[in-house]
Amino acid sequence: MDKHAQGRRHFIRQLTAATLTLTGAPVFAEVSMPATPQQPNEAYWEQIKRQFSVAPGKIMMNAANLCPSPAFVLEKVLEHSRQLNRDVSFQYRNLFNDERSKAIQALADYTGAAPEEIGITRNTSESNFLVVNGLELKSGDEVILWDQNHPSNDVTWQKRAARFGFTVKRLATPANPGTVEELASVFIKAITPRTRLITFSHISNTTGVALPAQLICQQARAKGVMTLVDGAQSLGSMTINLPELGCDFFTASTHKWLMGPMENGLLYVRKERVASLHTSIIGGTWKSTGVTVDDKLCTLGQRNDPTLVGLPAVAEFHQMIGKPNVEARVRQLTQYLKEQLQQQIPNVVLTTPMSPAMSAGIVVLSVPGKDMKDVYTRLYTSFGIAASGTGGIRLSPHVYNTLADIDKVVGAIVRLCA
Ligand SMILES: Cc1ncc(COP(=O)(O)O)c(C=O)c1O
């Protein structure tokens, strides 16, 4: 079990509005978080749910798109925003240099990477762009990608390939894969002497299929092929250790499963690959001497700096629950959701595999003969359930949901599809 989650009382630094340091930076006092039991039960998750300020009567089931932040994370960001608006001087803003280093360290600790391998961008799309545009690829080279990739890791490659003359191979995986080896072999078998890179979503945002990322990365590396894993749907929903995953590049957004802050992204580049990536965006603070991922690739001009303070805070939130507990809870919720859908709607079509080895936090479903667009709309207007219309209905619960929420969601779909 995670060292922070050993059944003792946890403390997080919470805002006390009155106290400011001499520099004007807000100070936070300690308040309690529920202790994580050895076996987290429903009463514990009810307490976790209360750490969020989701509107009464609403059920957020769209973590794959956007997550709320724990209230104390949001408050920290807002208070730093308020203070910045009281004093936008260079002197005051110096404190954000320190906050950026702390945020990079927190993301490094959270992912097992070295701080020099981590950069902070605005989102996954931008991180993908920085890899696509930073790699030197020429006529004769080939990139392999999954046909379920997000456009920022698909159309981007196609546009660049058309301009620079390399080839993009888009591969489909079987609709009903039997094993994870079968999924991996689709990509590995397609490697030719021209293949430079394989890139795929760790978890598809359109079907919920999870690819065996570690297996693909290991086998690709053994053949001298680089890998870019788009982790938009895995960072924060699965326990990720980047060196163990074995990819060369990894991208994610912090406003999805990490639960905040909004509009930050992660770019990981394995140490050995940093030199091979060209800089695409040069902000005012960029220096030709920059050798870390953040210094070399992520000087993106003026940013909304107060969001930086949310990153160590939210990483701490995951650590306090225990990262394996977060993944186990997400899996428990989605597994229960899939089982209930199958039991209560006999003709439901689950696009997402039942197997936990090939899925994680996303469930995509449809009901033959029903207008799924209408169901998606009415889930929100009649029941306050925030879903997505991707692939029919896409539901993605997180630690702020309970089994009772899942029962309400299934009950609502039953009523709408009766
Ligand atoms: C797999 C994947 N990649 C990239 C993105 C883009 O994320 P963002 O809009 O935060 O850049 C998404 C968004 O849903 C996604 O699911």
Side-chain angles (χ1 to χ4, degrees):
M1 176 179 269
D2 200 292
K3 72 178 158 72
H4 294 274
Q6 288 169 346
R8 61 185 158 72
R9 197 128 191 94
H10 299 305
F11 291 96
I12 50 178
R13 281 141 60 78
Q14 175 72 300
L15 179 72
T16 47
T19 43
L20 299 177
T21 62
L22 285 178
T23 62
V27 177
F28 299 85
E30 293 193 329
V31 297
S32 60
M33 260 272 283
T36 314
Q38 283 293 337
Q39 300 286 327
N41 52 16
E42 217 44 31
Y44 169 74
W45 293 115
E46 288 281 356
Q47 284 181 292
I48 291 297
K49 182 177 180 156
R50 286 199 284 276
Q51 306 297 320
F52 294 80
S53 48
V54 172
K58 295 264 193 297
I59 299 178
M60 298 297 115
M61 291 284 285
N62 196 18
N65 180 240
L66 201 60
C67 280
S69 287
F72 82 92
V73 173
L74 178 62
E75 273 312 316
K76 261 192 129 171
V77 171
L78 292 178
E79 185 55 21
H80 275 274
S81 250
R82 279 190 282 271
Q83 292 308 322
L84 177 59
N85 278 274
R86 288 161 62 99
D87 184 354
V88 295
S89 66
F90 283 109
Q91 288 85 345
Y92 180 72
R93 286 165 56 205
N94 271 338
L95 86 97
F96 291 114
N97 297 334
D98 206 27
E99 295 299 338
R100 192 169 185 99
S101 303
K102 284 190 218 160
I104 288 173
Q105 185 64 56
L107 288 171
D109 292 345
Y110 183 78
T111 56
E116 305 78 50
E117 297 175 310
I118 298 287
I120 297 175
T121 62
R122 282 172 277 224
N123 48 44
T124 315
S125 303
E126 186 166 63
S127 297
N128 285 339
F129 162 87
L130 292 172
V131 179
V132 176
N133 285 278
L135 278 176
E136 199 158 304
L137 294 171
K138 55 186 186 321
S139 172
D141 291 336
E142 178 182 84
V143 169
I144 292 176
L145 55 87
W146 192 17
D147 68 354
Q148 292 186 32
N149 278 8
H150 185 269
S152 63
N153 193 25
D154 178 347
V155 183
T156 342
W157 286 110
Q158 296 183 46
K159 288 274 178 209
R160 192 164 165 88
R163 192 170 155 206
F164 290 95
F166 61 90
T167 311
V168 172
K169 248 180 2 203
R170 285 175 97 247
L171 303 181
T173 47
N176 295 304
T179 61
V180 290
E181 286 75 18
E182 196 186 326
L183 285 172
S185 75
V186 168
F187 299 92
I188 302 304
K189 272 193 196 150
I191 292 175
T192 71
R194 296 167 45 187
T195 310
R196 299 283 313 282
L197 177 122
I198 298 177
T199 180
F200 54 91
S201 295
H202 197 168
I203 301 168
S204 164
N205 58 307
T206 53
T207 63
V209 170
L211 289 182
Q214 190 177 21
L215 193 59
I216 298 172
C217 293
Q218 273 169 359
Q219 294 185 355
R221 195 186 288 185
K223 289 177 181 280
V225 173
M226 295 181 284
T227 44
L228 159 60
V229 178
D230 176 334
Q233 303 299 346
S234 60
L235 187 84
S237 68
M238 293 171 85
T239 308
I240 301 281
N241 181 298
L242 290 171
E244 279 174 18
L245 197 66
C247 56
D248 293 281
F249 312 103
F250 184 92
T251 58
S253 301
T254 67
H255 38 257
K256 295 187 187 286
W257 297 89
L258 203 65
M259 297 178 278
M262 303 274 180
E263 209 188 90
N264 276 312
L266 170 87
L267 172 62
Y268 162 83
V269 180
R270 191 159 67 81
K271 224 172 261 158
E272 294 79 355
R273 292 288 179 209
V274 180
S276 66
L277 271 192
H278 291 279
T279 306
S280 294
I281 302 178
I282 305 231
T285 53
W286 187 82
K287 292 187 194 69
S288 58
T289 49
V291 290
T292 70
V293 173
D294 201 56
D295 289 344
K296 183 176 175 185
L297 303 163
C298 304
T299 62
L300 308 174
Q302 185 60 54
R303 302 287 319 275
N304 183 12
D305 290 328
T307 60
L308 291 171
V309 302
L311 285 165
V314 86
E316 201 180 346
F317 182 71
H318 282 259
Q319 302 281 18
M320 284 186 294
I321 295 174
K323 284 197 290 178
N325 289 332
V326 173
E327 175 171 349
R329 176 60 171 177
V330 169
R331 289 185 177 282
Q332 181 194 10
L333 291 168
T334 48
Q335 220 48 29
Y336 180 66
L337 172 60
K338 285 188 260 192
E339 285 162 14
Q340 287 302 309
L341 285 166
Q342 283 189 327
Q343 278 173 27
Q344 298 193 40
I345 311 173
N347 62 336
V348 73
V349 175
L350 291 181
T351 309
T352 313
M354 282 302 280
S355 161
M358 297 180 214
S359 62
I362 297 178
V363 178
V364 180
L365 70 121
S366 56
V367 180
K370 297 293 167 192
D371 178 352
M372 285 293 117
K373 266 199 181 133
D374 183 54
V375 174
Y376 154 72
T377 304
R378 287 168 63 197
L379 272 176
Y380 185 73
T381 54
S382 304
F383 298 93
I385 296 167
S388 160
T390 308
I393 300 287
R394 185 184 70 187
L395 299 166
S396 40
H398 209 337
V399 294
Y400 42 76
N401 293 117
T402 58
L403 293 175
D405 286 345
I406 303 286
D407 287 335
K408 282 186 195 154
V409 171
V410 175
I413 297 174
V414 168
R415 278 184 60 188
L416 292 172
C417 293

